[in-house]
Amino acid sequence: MNSAMFQQFSFAFASLILLFSLIILPDNRLYINPVVFYVIIWVGYIGVHTILIGEKEWYQSGYFIIGFIYMVALVNWIKRGLLTFRQVSVIFLVTGIFEAAWCLLQLIHILPPANPMFPISGSFDNPNITAMYLTAILPFVIFSHKKKWLRWGSILCILAAILVLRCRTAYIGVTVIFLIYVYTQTSVVQYIRKLPKAASAALAACMLILLVSGAFQLYHLKKDSADGRRFIWKVTMQMIAEKPVLGYGYGLFAKNYNLRQAKYFKENEGSIQEKQNARHVYTAYNEYIEQTAKGGLIGGAFFVAFLIILIIKSCQCKNRIALTTLSSIGAMALINFIHTALPIWILLLTIASFLTFDDRKDYFINHILSKIVYVSLLVPFICFLLMFNAQRQLKVSIDEHHASPERMEAYVAAAGSSEIYLRLYAKALVKEKKYEKALSILCKAEKYTSSPSLFTAKATCLEHLKRTDEAIENIETVCYMVPDNDDAKFKLMMLYKTASHIAKMEVICKEILSINKPESKKVNYYKCIADSLLKRRGP
């Protein structure tokens, strides 16, 4: 179990307990309001949609629904005066400063990185999540009423951390916050209004030039990454065009996207740049089109409408912190993921809970129905507990180097739709040469993922079962999915040799020999084998 999954499980348990704890209060009726009712309809849509799609992925879709349970719980806590916006603001402010300090201490090597792949990432594995969270809580610091030196010191600390994290998404979010901050300053607005028309036009032109220049610089800061995201958006839009009504299912975006990417390269040559930038993808890096790809046009509309409702509410309440935070999150959602970034998702739902609370428009559910809701919470709690225990057992097995098939079989039902669990279970079976059973487990995992390692593992099983042509099909899928995957090319070359597909083998041999990468023992070995196979064929 990785830290991200552990955090999601912790959030699920905390949300369920937060709502269930209301049962001990004298007045334990559940309160809802129009926006909460909207969210309940959204959850209902996700449930019906999942039934219609047929394939049920419980981890990500369950996490998505749990977020709304958290929101309902928070609204009820606010209704009873157990939580105030000021208290929450202090929590976010303190955690933001703490996170920024953590990053700066990693910069000077006082603290170790949370993820060995990134020298600076704060307390999270992904530096993008840290940077986006710091950006989103920046308004809590800017609009705080603390001492001036403390406020500016905190702002500089957070901005410095965002800068060293090198996250373009965060830079865009900071720009949006700056523009809204300037616009909400009465003195600045009055000064601009007093300017002559020519001066106002010149100022607007300068601002436009700065924004365009900034966008150009951000694009070239990590050009390959930016081009990679453009390609992801292109393929995702093709997915939406193919299934605009229902989409592909909540929790199943990554599985379907990577298969669609493989189809793209199989049916189209694809540019050299696209092939170089293509990777196995987990998210669309655009929350709006990803929600549409998962839930269809209706699912995408639910998400967009939710953000619009919250921004309108923040304007009506004249809550500058909420307005600025929501606007920055909305802007960052254009080029990155939001709902799978746990701290940003929690922040968004927390703000939503406070904005939607209104004494005049709250309605309550009667005692009996409320108690039924409380008791029904035990069902998801037990389900998540079983899933958590399965993942914990998996981690224990890995740590003890004792991932035996018998031990993993005991928890396979509780693991549910965990493709990681299923793949590692199959790996344990392969070690014991139980290829037929391993293949059946991998086929089950294929319902939830299209990971290259899954197809490679399937090919290994099929090869041992003397089903070489089927093994070739699986490795060809990997090669189309990630054209720059040298390991897959080498395996495909050897499978073509085994199956006596000489013409195809020669094509792959030439591709391997044309690999233009820094020298390594692995690549040199692949080239040596490819060269020897070609020489055997003669001129």
Side-chain angles (χ1 to χ4, degrees):
M1 185 191 310
N2 57 35
S3 61
M5 183 176 286
F6 178 78
Q7 290 165 4
Q8 289 182 357
F9 270 119
S10 300
F11 174 61
F13 291 134
S15 299
L16 291 167
I17 292 169
L18 197 65
L19 187 57
F20 189 76
S21 63
L22 295 169
I23 199 170
I24 65 175
L25 298 177
D27 182 8
N28 54 27
R29 294 174 300 171
L30 279 174
Y31 287 85
I32 62 171
N33 55 44
V35 178
V36 171
F37 188 67
Y38 170 86
V39 165
I40 292 170
I41 295 173
W42 191 358
V43 170
Y45 172 76
I46 293 171
V48 172
H49 181 272
T50 302
I51 293 169
L52 292 174
I53 289 293
E55 296 178 357
K56 301 172 183 64
E57 197 287 328
W58 296 113
Y59 283 80
Q60 286 302 315
S61 54
Y63 159 74
F64 197 36
I65 293 171
I66 283 292
F68 298 128
I69 291 177
Y70 166 79
M71 182 178 166
V72 173
L74 216 58
V75 166
N76 278 269
W77 274 61
I78 295 165
K79 174 69 177 178
R80 290 165 174 80
L82 300 173
L83 201 61
T84 66
F85 190 75
R86 182 177 178 80
Q87 291 171 334
V88 169
S89 297
V90 170
I91 292 170
F92 286 127
L93 194 150
V94 171
T95 55
I97 295 172
F98 172 79
E99 197 66 40
W102 194 317
C103 293
L104 296 177
L105 289 173
Q106 286 176 339
L107 176 66
I108 57 178
H109 307 294
I110 292 178
L111 286 178
N115 185 344
M117 293 179 63
F118 304 102
I120 305 169
S121 64
S123 62
F124 298 99
D125 288 342
N126 189 333
N128 282 349
I129 293 177
T130 305
M132 288 191 293
Y133 177 66
L134 289 174
T135 301
I137 59 92
L138 192 56
F140 288 88
V141 183
I142 292 174
F143 296 109
S144 67
H145 299 288
K146 300 292 181 183
K147 292 180 180 179
K148 193 173 182 179
W149 66 268
L150 182 59
R151 183 170 74 249
W152 280 104
S154 301
I155 290 171
L156 291 174
C157 180
I158 291 173
L159 289 176
I162 291 171
L163 187 64
V164 300
L165 285 165
R166 291 174 59 82
C167 174
R168 294 157 299 168
T169 306
Y171 297 161
I172 290 172
V174 169
T175 302
V176 171
I177 290 170
F178 171 75
L179 291 174
I180 294 176
Y181 174 76
V182 170
Y183 183 77
T184 56
Q185 298 304 301
T186 308
S187 57
V188 175
V189 174
Q190 289 177 347
Y191 173 77
I192 293 173
R193 285 177 178 174
K194 290 178 182 179
L195 288 174
K197 289 184 178 180
S200 298
L203 181 62
C206 288
M207 288 296 296
L208 184 62
I209 291 169
L210 283 172
L211 289 173
V212 172
S213 175
F216 182 79
Q217 292 297 323
L218 284 177
Y219 172 73
H220 284 277
L221 180 65
K222 297 179 183 177
K223 187 177 182 298
D224 289 343
S225 174
D227 289 336
R229 291 191 186 188
R230 285 171 55 207
F231 176 66
I232 291 169
W233 299 338
K234 176 181 177 179
V235 175
T236 306
M237 292 304 293
Q238 290 176 355
M239 289 172 63
I240 293 171
E242 288 176 5
K243 286 189 177 182
V245 180
L246 284 180
Y248 294 81
Y250 288 91
L252 296 170
F253 171 79
K255 173 209 166 181
N256 289 285
Y257 172 86
N258 290 291
L259 291 175
R260 185 63 185 79
Q261 181 169 285
K263 182 182 176 183
Y264 175 86
F265 285 118
K266 186 176 182 179
E267 295 180 349
N268 305 279
E269 284 295 321
S271 67
I272 295 174
Q273 186 184 64
E274 287 176 340
K275 289 181 178 179
Q276 288 176 341
N277 293 327
R279 294 290 182 269
H280 179 246
V281 171
Y282 295 96
T283 175
Y285 291 100
N286 181 310
E287 194 66 37
Y288 303 103
I289 62 174
E290 183 174 334
Q291 289 294 333
T292 306
K294 290 190 290 190
L297 292 173
I298 297 174
F302 265 115
F303 179 75
V304 174
F306 183 61
L307 277 181
I308 291 173
I309 289 169
L310 296 181
I311 290 173
I312 291 172
K313 284 280 186 181
S314 64
C315 291
Q316 291 174 343
C317 299
K318 296 181 180 179
N319 189 326
R320 292 188 299 174
I321 293 176
L323 173 62
T324 313
T325 300
L326 290 169
S327 299
S328 67
I329 290 175
M332 291 190 291
L334 288 167
I335 58 170
N336 225 314
F337 51 91
I338 296 298
H339 99 270
T340 49
L342 184 58
I344 294 103
W345 186 234
I346 290 175
L347 176 59
L348 175 62
L349 294 173
T350 302
I351 291 175
S353 302
F354 280 98
L355 288 177
T356 58
F357 172 70
D358 186 343
D359 280 329
R360 296 168 299 175
K361 295 182 180 179
D362 283 335
Y363 307 96
F364 62 87
I365 303 174
N366 64 51
H367 287 286
I368 296 174
L369 193 56
S370 295
K371 286 178 181 178
I372 291 173
V373 173
Y374 291 132
V375 173
S376 66
L377 291 175
L378 293 173
V379 176
F381 187 86
I382 292 170
C383 290
F384 274 106
L385 195 61
L386 291 171
M387 291 158 67
F388 175 80
N389 187 49
Q391 296 296 330
R392 189 180 65 83
Q393 290 296 329
L394 175 61
K395 186 178 187 303
V396 169
S397 298
I398 293 170
D399 291 344
E400 295 177 356
H401 303 285
H402 186 63
S404 67
E406 294 76 18
R407 184 172 182 174
M408 297 192 74
E409 174 68 32
Y411 297 97
V412 70
S417 60
S418 174
E419 50 90 9
I420 296 174
Y421 192 96
L422 293 170
R423 281 194 286 129
L424 291 175
Y425 177 28
K427 186 178 179 181
L429 289 166
V430 168
K431 283 184 178 179
E432 296 197 358
K433 299 182 180 181
K434 297 177 180 178
Y435 301 113
E436 197 72 56
K437 189 171 182 181
L439 183 61
S440 68
I441 296 297
L442 289 168
C443 289
K444 185 177 178 182
E446 197 174 358
K447 294 179 181 179
Y448 314 112
T449 184
S450 57
S451 168
S453 61
L454 170 83
F455 291 105
T456 303
K458 279 183 67 184
T460 300
C461 293
L462 290 164
E463 191 177 4
H464 281 94
L465 294 170
K466 308 300 181 184
R467 294 158 62 179
T468 309
D469 287 340
E470 291 177 67
I472 287 172
E473 287 178 11
N474 280 272
I475 298 301
E476 281 179 339
T477 299
V478 178
C479 288
Y480 284 126
M481 188 185 298
V482 188
D484 204 31
N485 189 323
D486 301 331
D487 297 330
K489 287 179 183 177
F490 179 76
K491 189 167 182 67
L492 185 60
M493 177 181 72
M494 302 310 292
L495 283 170
Y496 281 153
K497 176 178 174 291
T498 302
S500 299
H501 296 334
I502 305 304
K504 291 181 177 180
M505 184 196 74
E506 288 179 347
V507 172
I508 292 292
C509 285
K510 290 174 182 177
E511 282 188 25
I512 290 173
L513 289 171
S514 65
I515 293 173
N516 184 22
K517 290 180 180 178
E519 283 197 16
S520 68
K521 288 183 179 180
K522 183 177 73 173
V523 172
N524 287 340
Y525 172 73
Y526 290 169
K527 286 184 176 182
C528 181
I529 298 297
D531 186 52
S532 65
L533 288 173
L534 281 178
K535 284 179 179 176
R536 288 179 196 174
R537 296 297 304 159

